[in-house]
Structure formats: structure tokens, C-alpha cells
Amino acid sequence: MLRSFQVTNHRSLAETQELRLTRGGGPIPVPVTAIYGATASGKSSLIDALARMRDAVLHSVTGWDPYAGPARTPHLGHPDRPTEFVAGFVAEGVPYTYGFRLDTVDVTAEWLHTHPRSRKRIIFERRGTEIKIGPQFEAARFGVAALVPLVRPNALLLSLAGQMYAEALVPAYRWFSSVLEVRRGTPEPAEVAHRLGAYLSRSPDGAARLLGELRAAGLGITDVLVAEPDPMYADYLRELDADIAGTAKQVDLCATSPGHADQLEREHGVTALVLARELTTLRAARDALYTRMVARRGVGLNLVHAGIETPFDVTDESAAGLSLLGLLPDVLDALDEGKVLAVDDIGARLPAELTAGLIGLFRAAETNVRGAQLIFTGDECALGGDVRRSDAALWRVRRTENGTSELDAL
């Protein structure tokens, strides 16, 4: 879960702005966080900042030019000021605070703290080229100390440690890679077809659920046709799907029955945490294999509309249909796995009642059983007029006379 997000000097967010995903000062985040504001007020800058932080954690080692400065987009009026991102989140049941500061040349600061029983413990703190490892984490044992000389001045230690599987830093890295999802802009039809086909191909239950939501949307879509898996990949996909289903069942049993978790560890030496990590790894492997199959032969996806004999290609869909098809797999995936999903301009090209219905899936306990969170920018009508319920955090972004954006709680 994500508790808070803070950003300084990114696009229109020149001064430090903090988004808290709780209400009433409590520690438990609400399932829905809505961010409103006028056109060009800076709403998209906030979602983009969250995406940039995630991208830096995942790709600063492999994706950033080693001979250039860190990838950042400061406010045009303050190009020489540092950019900073800080997130407070819970990963594998433990609260963390992670942040980093960038200038035009290097990573000038980076830190990861954990907060068991509300006590701060330093995992590591970085200032310039100096990196301090917290005494509780026995750096040599976990391999963090061995990575310190290898990290580039313009890359993140968490990025390197996550890819090298330094145990003390793995939970935080996996939170960014497996729990946080950010969607910006309008996806291309090919990307929509890929996401839709990937979700539909995972399980019959998931496919039936997605199809039910599409039919209920009232856009005329009655069925989705997907080509059979390429024979070269079919057996591998079936094996992965069976492994995923079996591991997911064990994870659920461990969550609902402490006795089962104890028995599993006693008899097989496998903990619930190891199972949860294995499930994430299997799902990522499945997605990668599906992507390779699609690159070889295409998605092979068509949509059936009521009263029309010829199936539609994704490119034939209306703007509303394309928007829903692009968003629905992400929404259902977040609900299925308890993810944090951030969406910029969630109501773009969608009728207000459809947007409210998607948001309602996160607000309803019967559909959001894994504690998924939705963060979105949009219009106040997206919550159906009921914007002050206790299950939603509400924020407004406004443009100042200095050309900067400021965030205010409602």
C-alpha cells in the first residue's frame, strides 16, 4: 500500500508538494484518492512524478546514460534546483520510507528507512558518494556493502540492489516493480490489444469477469475473440498458468489460515513470504512469454458487437470503447493482486457513469478484497457526486500566479 508521496521541482511542481492517501490522520490508506483541478493546473505533473520515481528505481542502472546526468524534468523556472521524490509505503507487511534527490549531474542523496513498531531504522543513507548502511542490517551478510562501490554517481543504489537481489533492499524494490502501476496518456490500439489479450489469456475466470464488465458498460460489445496460443508457446503458457494457479491458492491459504502457513514451513521449509515472491516472479515470467508470443504472431484479437456480424478490430472501436478496453485490464489486475494503480485523466473519453463504475470497484468491499488502491486525476463528477465519503481522499491542484502548481487537501 502507498501511504504518501512527496515531490519537489518536477515539471510544474516547483515547491515541495505532499499527497497523503489517508483521511483523518490515520495510518491506513483509503482505497480511492481523487485529484481534481482546472485544465493545465498540474494534475498530470503529479501522476508523471510518481511514474518518474518508479522508472528511476527500475531503470536508472540500465536505462540512464552512464555519461549523462540523471533523467529529470525540473520546473523551467528553476532548472538548477534539485528534484526530489519521497514515498511512504508498506511492502511485505513492513512500513518503508524511500526517497532520492537529483541534480543536473548526479544523485546527491538517497535513503531507505523502515519503521517497525513506529521506530525508524536506517537501511541505508546516501549523501553524494558516501553511503552509510544501518547497523541493524549487517551489510556484509545481505550483500549491500559489496554493491556500494559499484553504484554509479548518476544511478540509484536501490535500482542496483534490486536487480542484484540484495535481500535487505528487495522488499522495497519489488514494491516499485510489482505493486505500483502508473498509466499516463492514451495508449495506442496495439498496446490496448496487447494488454487486453494478456489479461484474457491468463484464466477463464478472469476472462469471464472482464467480459461481464464490458457487456455491462453498454457500449455494444458482447464478446471478445482471441486467437489460440501459438503452438510454440502453448505448452509453456499452460504450465505457467498451472503453476500460478497452484501458487496463488497456497498464498491465499497462508493468508487465511496461520496453521496452514506453519505446516507449509514445517514440512517443506517454504514461508508465506517466499510463496508470495514466487507468485510475483511466475506472473512476470508469464507476461514476458506472452509478449514474446505476440511479437512473433500478433495478438489476434477481435470484438463482437450486438447486431453486427463482422467482428471489430481494436482500431474500429469508438473513443469510449478504446478508452475502456485500455483501462479495464489494469483495473481488474490491480483488484486481483492488490496493487496501487495511478491513472491520469481517468474519465477521458468515457461517460461519467462508466468512470464512476470503475472507481466504485475499488470502493466496494466485495470487489476490492485485497486492499487495492486507485489514485486518479479527473473531474469531481467521477465520484458520482458523493465525494466526501470516508473511503476517499480528495485533493485539488491549483495554478499559482508564479506558474507553479500547489496541492491542497479537500
Side-chain angles (χ1 to χ4, degrees), residues 38-371:
T39 301
S41 60
K43 303 185 298 296
S44 295
S45 293
L46 192 60
I47 300 297
D48 186 75
L50 195 57
R52 290 295 187 93
M53 185 179 195
R54 180 182 187 272
D55 181 78
V57 171
L58 300 187
H59 304 300
S60 65
V61 170
T62 57
W64 288 3
D65 186 342
Y67 303 104
R72 71 184 192 115
T73 311
H75 188 280
L76 293 177
H78 308 287
D80 297 325
R81 290 186 187 177
T83 296
E84 184 175 292
F85 304 96
V86 185
F89 55 93
V90 177
E92 298 182 356
V94 178
Y96 289 90
T97 299
Y98 173 68
F100 55 87
R101 188 179 306 122
L102 314 172
D103 65 13
T104 56
V105 178
D106 294 323
V107 177
T108 60
E110 185 183 4
W111 58 96
L112 179 64
H113 303 154
T114 185
H115 307 273
R117 295 179 295 277
S118 301
R119 294 182 179 181
K120 185 179 85 170
R121 289 186 178 181
I122 297 171
I123 300 180
F124 75 85
E125 290 183 343
R126 172 184 183 180
R127 294 293 181 270
T129 58
E130 296 183 2
I131 299 178
K132 168 188 172 184
I133 308 297
Q136 296 93 340
F137 289 89
E138 302 179 42
R141 175 184 171 194
F142 291 111
V144 178
L147 297 178
V148 169
L150 304 178
V151 65
R152 297 197 319 265
N154 69 338
L156 299 175
L157 175 58
L158 182 60
S159 182
L160 178 63
Q163 294 175 32
M164 299 298 289
Y165 214 87
E167 178 63 30
L169 277 61
V170 164
Y173 179 86
R174 289 176 69 90
W175 185 87
F176 282 97
S177 65
S178 304
V179 177
L180 178 63
E181 295 288 345
V182 185
R183 298 302 181 199
R184 299 166 293 168
T186 303
E188 294 295 323
E191 184 180 357
V192 171
H194 188 149
R195 290 185 197 171
L196 190 60
Y199 187 87
L200 288 169
S201 69
R202 290 175 188 170
S203 74
D205 289 343
R209 184 183 183 195
L210 188 145
L211 185 57
E213 295 291 341
L214 283 177
R215 288 170 175 167
L219 298 179
I221 300 173
T222 60
D223 203 357
V224 182
L225 308 177
V226 183
E228 289 294 322
D230 187 323
M232 179 178 290
Y233 295 90
D235 289 341
Y236 297 112
L237 286 171
R238 277 194 296 270
E239 290 174 6
L240 274 173
D241 288 337
D243 289 343
I244 289 170
T247 306
K249 181 179 179 179
Q250 291 297 319
V251 169
D252 287 341
L253 286 171
C254 288
T256 56
S257 172
H260 181 81
D262 292 341
Q263 181 182 0
L264 198 65
E265 184 172 4
R266 185 171 59 253
E267 295 181 357
H268 302 283
V270 177
T271 65
L273 176 57
V274 169
L275 273 178
R277 289 183 177 181
E278 178 64 17
L279 180 58
T280 300
T281 301
L282 287 170
R283 284 169 170 161
R286 207 270 183 202
D287 289 342
L289 188 62
Y290 181 84
T291 297
R292 290 178 62 182
M293 183 182 74
V294 167
R296 171 183 164 86
R297 69 94 196 260
V299 178
L301 184 144
N302 294 101
L303 300 113
V304 177
H305 281 251
I308 302 176
E309 184 175 344
T310 303
F312 281 32
D313 185 77
V314 169
T315 56
D316 298 323
E317 288 295 328
S318 65
L322 196 61
S323 183
L324 181 63
L325 292 168
L327 186 56
L328 193 53
D330 295 328
V331 167
L332 297 181
D333 192 44
L335 293 168
D336 292 341
E337 300 181 26
K339 292 185 177 183
V340 179
L341 175 63
V343 182
D344 187 28
D345 200 6
I346 193 171
R349 295 166 296 280
L350 278 180
E353 61 272 17
L354 274 185
T355 304
L358 292 175
I359 297 168
L361 294 174
F362 288 84
R363 303 179 81 173
E366 59 270 21
T367 51
N368 188 1
V369 298
R370 300 186 185 276

